[in-house]
Amino acid sequence: MTESVTKRKWYVVYTRSRWEKKADQLLKEQGIRSFCPVVKTQRKWADRNKTVEFPLFSSYLFVYADLREQVNVRQTAGIVNFVYHCGKPAVISENEIERIHDIIQCYPDVETMSLPAFQVGDKVKMKNGELMNWKGEIVEIHGKSVVMIIEPLNCALVAKVKVPRAALAIQ
């Protein structure tokens, strides 16, 4: 067997809507390593408050598989297909998987937002970090960083903020 067939990598798979945790469980029952990052959120019903777990990435999860196991992944209930990039299944590095795991451990209220959600001119509020609760306006976007002006006490402060999405909230 060649090394390329038996070498496992982390892949991104697309799931049916609201099947992320179930598909993750089904993959694990088959002995396929998978990762469905979840965050805990407080939900309020009329009669009680409850902590519930939601997948961090809606309709996506990660699988650690080789070429032979990819067939089993595709045949698992709830899995639609692999996510493709440049005609091949998208591969995620082990470091990125670890970073996602670390982020959900350190920031239990993290949420994902697509990059186009932030635009120049948006009013935002820092949700955590040293500038927590400061409000500002986005004036430039550079990749995964934004430049924003924060105006406390009638003075302007330009801050370049690395964007894990948990850091900013649109006002």
Side-chain angles (χ1 to χ4, degrees), residues 18-62:
R18 301 180 189 258
W19 269 69
E20 304 91 348
K21 293 191 315 185
K22 181 66 173 171
D24 181 52
Q25 177 187 349
L26 292 171
L27 288 166
K28 287 177 178 165
E29 288 172 3
Q30 296 177 60
I32 298 172
R33 188 171 160 197
S34 61
F35 176 49
C36 179
V38 294
V39 291
K40 294 180 180 177
T41 306
Q42 286 285 336
R43 296 292 174 177
K44 185 175 181 175
W45 281 268
D47 61 338
R48 69 187 187 282
N49 288 333
K50 186 176 179 182
T51 301
V52 292
E53 287 185 342
F54 286 101
L56 180 59
F57 303 105
S58 180
S59 296
Y60 294 97
L61 60 92
F62 306 97

Side-chain angles (χ1 to χ4, degrees), residues 60-71:
Y60 294 97
L61 60 92
F62 306 97
V63 295
Y64 191 67
D66 60 27
L67 288 175
R68 290 178 295 148
E69 292 169 324
Q70 286 183 21
V71 174

Side-chain angles (χ1 to χ4, degrees), residues 149-157:
I149 296 178
I150 302 171
E151 299 181 16
L153 305 172
N154 290 329
C155 65
L157 170 68

